């Protein structure tokens, strides 16, 4: 599997989003497998410190978090940790695009400076995308052009309208949305929206020298512009307020103090890559790392537990036939666990959740016992769901013990060595990150005296 993509063959639509977990085989699920092998909070804290250090290193080198989508919007139905890691990968992808845009702009300016003045005064068709002719006849270099906007020409110059390369907006996580809503409720300010609109205006002006506000509105917000249907209609309203050649602005755009008009006056022709960032990737990622360093143990472990749980149910669901006898009891287990987790995981219910999970595991590993399961389910129909699941699970455990008693004893030492070998393959900490980096953990110390365990309270278990 490609560690960079982190995609699984299981359909993502089957992920149980009700309990806010993470996709199977994602970094968070793999992390939960590794941390689940530790026996004390002290070891978990030390390992978590190593993970954050390694994530910082990947970010500083422009390498994405493995086993995660490379450039996908955060999945708001997943746990916050998964969303935060998605943000890191999104920011890395954005930085790559920004660097490419800077190089492209520098190349355009450099080539324009080398063009002969005679060619500039009479550019051929190959230069039409690079220059726009003003009303005065002057040719001005277009900057930050992305592509031609079909069927649009500038109202005053008649030159074709080109869509600019614009800044990408904020990366929306559940946390960011909540903070924005609180800001709007507290101050009534839509600062991020205004910054984005101003940025788009500046990029549009740079790509379309000689443009007017109406040109931008026709490109950015077509519903706020209406075309004149006839020449007579144009003649009747040619001098009317809001009319411009062959169309008219909407009423909201003509209101006194309209935000768009005010921003257009202050907007300067400036390509997106030369503007002040609307969304600061470095600041966003640093904030995430600070959050991960200070995360309370209970928050981290709950997210990892739920992610592992949701992944397990997704895998189980894919292996159970929808028409089989065991599917009914499986979905009863699934519904009960999801309903319980939605109310919050606590010391009072985690034991029951684990027991029901064991029942599902048993169903998957012993499909031949479907009839027994259904029989017990019918006999225990009046019982509470979790009690019925426990009884079914215990029935399997009893059968397994009887089967083991019939088999000759194995060499305990060899069995343990084999088990350790399997776990070293599945849960090796290095497998969390790209295998192309052999020196991954070589420079990271796991010594308790050298490693910051993020102020976690260390207890011996």
């Amino acid at each position: 599997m490609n560690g960079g993509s982190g995609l699984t063959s299981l359909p993502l639509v089957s992920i149980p989003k009700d309990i806010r977990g993470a996709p199977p085989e994602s970094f968070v699920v793999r992390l939960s497998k590794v941390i689940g092998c530790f026996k004390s909070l002290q070891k978990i804290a030390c390992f978590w410190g190593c993970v954050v250090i390694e994530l910082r290193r990947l970010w500083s080198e422009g390498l994405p978090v493995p086993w995660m989508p490379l450039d996908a919007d955060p999945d708001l139905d997943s746990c916050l940790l998964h969303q935060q890691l998605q943000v890191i990968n999104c920011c890395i992808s954005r930085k790559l695009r920004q660097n490419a845009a800077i190089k492209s702009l520098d190349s355009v300016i450099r080539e324009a400076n080398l063009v002969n003045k005679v060619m500039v005064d009479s550019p051929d068709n190959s230069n039409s995308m690079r220059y726009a002719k003003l009303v005065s006849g002057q040719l001005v270099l277009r900057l930050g052009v992305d592509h031609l906007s079909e069927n649009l020409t500038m109202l005053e110059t008649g030159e074709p309208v080109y869509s600019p390369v614009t800044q990408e907006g904020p990366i929306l996580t559940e946390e960011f949305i909540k903070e924005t809503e609180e800001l709007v409720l507290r101050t009534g300010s839509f600062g991020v929206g205004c910054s984005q609109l101003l940025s788009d205006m500046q990029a549009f002006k740079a790509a379309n020298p000689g443009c007017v506000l109406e040109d931008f509105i026709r490109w950015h917000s077509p519903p706020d512009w209406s075309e004149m249907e006839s020449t007579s209609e144009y003649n009747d309203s040619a001098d009317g307020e809001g009319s411009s050649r062959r169309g008219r602005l909407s009423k909201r755009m003509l209101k006194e103090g309209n935000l768009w008009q005010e921003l257009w006056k202050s907007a300067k022709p400036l390509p997106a890559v030369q503007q002040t960032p609307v969304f600061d990737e470095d600041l966003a990622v640093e904030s995430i790392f600070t959050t991960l360093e200070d995360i309370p143990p209970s928050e981290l472990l709950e997210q990892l537990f739920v992610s592992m749980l949701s992944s397990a149910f997704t895998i189980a669901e894919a292996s159970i036939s929808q028409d089989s006898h065991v599917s009914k009891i499986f979905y009863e287990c699934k519904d009960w666990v999801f309903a319980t987790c939605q109310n919050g995981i606590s010391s009072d219910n985690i034991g029951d959740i684990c027991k029901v999970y064991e029942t599902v595991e048993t169903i998957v590993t012993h499909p031949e016992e479907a009839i027994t399961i259904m029989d017990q389910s019918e006999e225990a129909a009046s019982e509470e769901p979790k009690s019925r699941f426990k009884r079914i699970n215990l029935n399997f455990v009893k059968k397994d013990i009887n089967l083991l008693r019939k088999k000759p004893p194995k060499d305990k030492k060899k069995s343990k060595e084999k088990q350790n070998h399997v776990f070293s393959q599945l849960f090796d900490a290095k497998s969390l990150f790209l295998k192309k980096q052999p020196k991954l953990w070589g420079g990271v110390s796991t010594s308790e005296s050298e490693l910051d365990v993020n102020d976690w309270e260390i207890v011996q278990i």
Side-chain angles (χ1 to χ4, degrees), residues 214-225:
E214 288 84 350
D215 294 324
F216 176 77
I217 291 174
R218 289 161 63 222
W219 171 77
H220 195 283
S221 182
D224 284 304
W225 174 265

Side-chain angles (χ1 to χ4, degrees), residues 13 41-43 148 152 164 219 244 250 275 331-332 350 396:
V13 292
L41 186 60
Q42 183 179 27
K43 293 180 179 179
L148 178 67
L152 276 182
W219 171 77
S244 179
S250 65
Q275 299 175 14
Y331 285 109
E332 286 183 6
I350 193 169
F396 277 114

Side-chain angles (χ1 to χ4, degrees), residues 425-438:
Q425 288 183 327
L426 291 178
F427 304 143
D428 183 3
K430 293 182 182 179
S431 68
L432 276 173
F433 298 95
L434 293 177
K435 295 179 181 179
K436 295 179 181 179
Q437 303 165 20

